[in-house]
Amino acid sequence: MTNLNHPETPKPAIRSVLVALMMAIFLGALDQTIVAVSMPAISAQFKDVSLLAWVISGYMVAMTVAVPIYGKLGDLYGRRKLMLFGMGLFTLASLFCAMAQSMEQLVLARIFQGIGAGGMISVSQAIIGDIVPPRERGRYQGYFSSMYAVASVAGPVLGGYMTEYLSWRWVFLINLPLGLGAWWVARRNLRGLPVPQRKPVIDYLGTLLMIVGLTALLLAITQVGQGHPWHSREVLGLFAGAVAVLAVFAWHERRAREPLLPMHLFTNRSALLCWCTIFFCSFQAISLIVLMPLRFQSVTGAGADSAALHLLPLAMGLPVGAYFAGRRTSVTGRYKPQILAGALLMPVSILGMAFTPPADALLSGLFMLLSGIAGGMQFPTSLVGTQNSVEQKDIGVATSTTNLFRSLGGAVGVALMSALLLALLQDSSFAHLAGGSLMGEGHSGSALLDGLNAAPGAARDALRAELLVTFRHLLTVSAGVSLLGLTAALAMPNRLLRGREHGAR
């Protein structure tokens, strides 16, 4: 099997490629956050709450399932074609989202938008694996982390202003000029990327099994996060189906001529531990991004705009941690020390947030900044560690598997933490509010906030004091879960990255 051809790529070419990739990452990440603020307006227009949560969940599920498929197809057909396809689909689906006349149409368009975004995010990171030696990758992956951070802040702000002064449809229409611009830049700048010289063989059965298994798993996780009990027949059926189908998928992949997800990657200790680390890091980061604004609004009574600003230190910490870790990795040639430092900092910073009232802006902001730095130190370095531990022919599928674990970690984190919060509220004065989803219902987009606002003054203050204790318990559990990521980081081999003289094998 012939490896990829690797033409020498001069620095200016890498910079121009990087511009195209950062635009793709920004677009894909922006649509994970920009829509949330416009949910009440969408619900009011279509008068449909039952499908409202799937406007976000459908996008996330589709993106997660698409990621590993793009990774393998990029290894077989070349990444430029896949990147242009993903960008084109994302932009076209954005137009359909803006034109939607019912909640069903919007959810369907969001699913196609998620499929496009999965390609933009997965293929971008694999391209860096193609053209940059492992020792230099940390720096470039750090730039990508900064795009995630910018999107997490810009999304709620842009979404809020456009929904308030224009229409919720502009949340999707803004993607048209951005998407077309990114597509044009990518088409021009991604020429000359390595092209596979092997004959493509598509694992159709493996692809179908993975789509069915992952979709069932993510639907079950999402339903738990939306308030469905673990032991309900629907959730248990989805989990059982997911386990059965994914078991058949693993059996099939061991025998496939050109497997979609080579099982030998899971026997690679370095790659497996990097995936465990990024899973638990994403578990913390995404659940904090979702739940911390809810904590701030419910405990302090502030508005959505203040809650977005409350997240700013966390978003700022991500690129700071990524930049520092990328630089240190490039200088020392080792990625474990940065991952370990981030994994140690994560539980400490989360405990700090747990015992600091959100009204204490300075101290609360400091701990959120530290948690962002902790996440930033782990995300890009775990990806670099994974890419370094596999052969060049598996770079794409290893990168997409890293992104799969990142997405799964976020989905599981939000579902488990939301389910735990609902369970804690059931045993408190909030039992009448905890019957449904915390997010995506009611006038404000949250049943919890609506219930608080309806309570009289003295009762509201008592409820907020009780909520502060409830969120403290929740964050303490979150800090405990982050110790699992620390365990994976401790067990990771302290390997030296292949350097400039080795190139990207």
Side-chain angles (χ1 to χ4, degrees):
M1 220 175 263
T2 312
N3 282 352
L4 296 170
N5 290 335
H6 281 270
E8 288 297 317
T9 312
K11 282 288 179 188
I14 290 178
R15 288 196 196 100
S16 64
V17 166
L18 193 67
V19 170
L21 303 188
M22 287 173 73
M23 288 176 75
I25 290 281
F26 177 75
L27 270 176
L30 184 69
D31 260 62
Q32 295 177 41
T33 58
I34 195 171
V35 178
V37 185
S38 60
M39 297 282 270
I42 293 171
S43 175
Q45 172 150 0
F46 293 137
K47 298 179 175 56
D48 185 349
V49 173
S50 60
L51 289 174
L52 187 61
W54 289 104
V55 174
I56 291 180
S57 299
Y59 179 86
M60 296 297 291
V61 169
M63 185 172 70
T64 304
V65 172
V67 154
I69 297 169
Y70 276 105
K72 186 62 182 181
L73 291 178
D75 284 340
L76 293 175
Y77 289 102
R79 316 224 191 273
R80 181 173 179 264
K81 290 178 183 175
L82 271 295
M83 173 65 87
L84 294 175
F85 173 80
M87 281 183 169
L89 180 60
F90 175 87
T91 306
L92 185 61
S94 297
L95 176 61
F96 289 139
C97 286
M99 294 169 60
Q101 298 301 309
S102 69
M103 194 67 85
E104 290 82 1
Q105 290 178 15
L106 180 59
V107 170
L108 183 62
R110 282 286 283 171
I111 289 170
F112 281 107
Q113 200 182 28
I115 294 171
M120 295 192 300
I121 290 173
S122 174
V123 176
S124 293
Q125 292 172 333
I127 288 172
I128 289 296
D130 282 337
I131 64 175
V132 178
R135 189 157 175 168
E136 296 293 305
R137 283 178 201 156
R139 187 153 52 97
Y140 291 97
Q141 298 294 356
Y143 297 149
F144 289 172
S145 291
S146 69
M147 288 295 99
Y148 278 107
V150 171
S152 70
V153 178
V157 175
L158 280 173
Y161 274 101
M162 285 188 291
T163 303
E164 181 74 23
Y165 297 107
L166 297 169
S167 158
W168 64 264
R169 296 183 188 276
W170 279 92
V171 167
F172 301 108
L173 288 172
I174 193 176
N175 289 331
L176 300 184
L178 292 175
L180 288 171
W183 189 88
W184 181 80
V185 170
R187 184 174 178 273
R188 192 185 66 173
N189 291 355
L190 298 185
R191 290 194 180 99
L193 284 182
V195 179
Q197 298 301 303
R198 47 182 170 160
K199 185 180 178 183
V201 178
I202 305 298
D203 178 16
Y204 292 105
L205 179 58
T207 303
L208 179 64
L209 288 169
M210 174 178 268
I211 290 171
V212 173
L214 280 180
T215 301
L217 177 63
L218 285 162
L219 287 177
I221 291 168
T222 303
Q223 291 207 343
V224 170
Q226 290 172 3
H228 291 74
W230 284 98
H231 48 78
S232 70
R233 184 179 299 178
E234 190 178 358
V235 172
L236 286 177
L238 284 169
F239 273 125
V243 170
V245 173
L246 290 175
V248 174
F249 169 74
W251 176 84
H252 168 76
E253 291 300 277
R254 289 181 179 277
R255 290 155 180 77
R257 179 181 161 197
E258 184 73 65
L260 178 69
L261 183 56
M263 289 294 110
H264 69 80
L265 292 178
F266 290 91
T267 63
N268 184 322
R269 186 163 172 254
S270 284
L272 189 59
L273 288 169
C274 282
W275 292 336
C276 288
T277 302
I278 210 162
F279 176 90
F280 287 110
C281 182
S282 184
F283 182 107
Q284 306 304 327
I286 306 302
S287 60
L288 288 174
I289 286 171
V290 170
L291 293 174
M292 292 307 283
L294 182 64
R295 173 183 182 247
F296 182 74
Q297 283 183 269
S298 59
V299 172
T300 66
D305 51 350
S306 298
L309 291 175
H310 179 66
L311 264 185
L312 198 58
L314 178 63
M316 287 169 58
L318 282 165
V320 170
Y323 179 81
F324 172 77
R327 281 290 183 189
R328 288 298 301 164
T329 301
S330 182
V331 169
T332 64
R334 295 187 187 275
Y335 55 90
K336 178 178 176 174
Q338 285 71 250
I339 293 175
L340 187 55
L344 277 166
L345 185 57
M346 186 66 86
V348 174
S349 59
I350 294 174
L351 276 176
M353 283 189 278
F355 289 93
T356 304
D360 187 341
L362 187 61
L363 201 54
S364 181
L366 174 63
F367 284 120
M368 289 185 75
L369 178 70
L370 291 175
S371 67
I373 290 172
M377 292 180 77
Q378 294 176 78
F379 280 132
T381 38
S382 295
L383 179 55
V384 169
T386 302
Q387 291 177 337
N388 185 69
S389 62
V390 302
E391 295 182 44
Q392 184 65 35
K393 66 184 177 68
D394 290 325
I395 276 276
V397 72
T399 301
S400 63
T401 305
T402 306
N403 283 310
L404 174 63
F405 274 89
R406 181 174 180 158
S407 296
L408 283 174
V412 172
V414 171
L416 285 185
M417 290 295 104
S418 297
L420 179 57
L421 182 53
L422 282 168
L424 291 170
L425 293 176
Q426 290 282 10
D427 297 328
S428 71
S429 308
F430 290 88
H432 65 290
L433 299 179
S437 171
L438 291 171
M439 307 297 289
E441 289 191 23
H443 176 72
S444 71
S446 167
L448 179 62
L449 296 178
D450 285 343
L452 268 175
N453 293 333
R460 189 187 308 150
D461 292 339
L463 289 171
R464 282 181 174 150
E466 191 176 343
L467 260 181
L468 185 60
V469 176
T470 301
F471 273 104
R472 182 178 300 157
H473 293 155
L474 186 73
L475 288 171
T476 304
V477 172
S478 181
V481 172
S482 70
L483 295 177
L484 296 172
L486 176 58
T487 304
L490 285 166
M492 198 177 289
N494 190 19
R495 289 189 177 163
L496 190 68
L497 290 169
R498 300 192 298 273
R500 299 179 185 86
E501 69 278 3
H502 294 93
R505 262 188 327 187

